[in-house]
Amino acid sequence: SWAVMRPESLDACARRVDVARSIVEMSTVSRVGDREIKRAYRYIDRELGLVTPPAHPNEYLGRFASELDCEGATERLARDLAETAVEEAVHSGKSPVGIAASALYAASKLRNEGLTQAAISETANVSEVTIRNRYREVLEVAEISPSE
């Protein structure tokens, strides 16, 4: 239906110009379910022959960091952590939003900035459990122990 195709068309266009929005954001704004949006996305890709790679976690970090008013050095470290996670394929099959949120949380902890999982969870619209799980993975591939 057109109600489902509109948000997905916007998402596909946004991704093509590196302005990532999560499925949850698209679903909330359009009042169309996640499943329908995902289905429409696959349909549009198939019909138009688009090869749109998944969003990179760093595409979300700037917005999250800005909304949380975190320091520039924390955001830069989060970007480095997210980049390492992508290079090491930690992101494969996982939400780029969750990777971005966990990288920001890890950077905040490493820099003693004090961002909480709850605050990041609310801003990124992912669960605290997702942040905790991805946090460990992000630190592991960056070869940083969680106690550092």
Side-chain angles (χ1 to χ4, degrees), residues 24-81:
V24 173
E25 289 174 302
M26 297 300 278
S27 177
T28 301
V29 171
S30 67
R31 292 181 239 136
V32 173
D34 300 17
R35 179 178 271 161
E36 290 83 7
I37 291 176
K38 289 175 186 176
R39 188 177 302 129
Y41 188 77
R42 287 189 301 271
Y43 175 79
I44 288 171
D45 268 3
R46 186 176 52 250
E47 290 300 311
L48 298 179
L50 299 175
V51 180
T52 307
H56 192 288
N58 282 344
E59 293 176 31
Y60 298 96
L61 272 170
R63 185 163 36 104
F64 297 163
S66 177
E67 289 180 29
L68 291 162
D69 199 32
C70 77
E71 298 173 12
T74 301
E75 182 183 347
R76 284 189 296 279
L77 178 55
R79 287 181 182 282
D80 290 343
L81 291 170

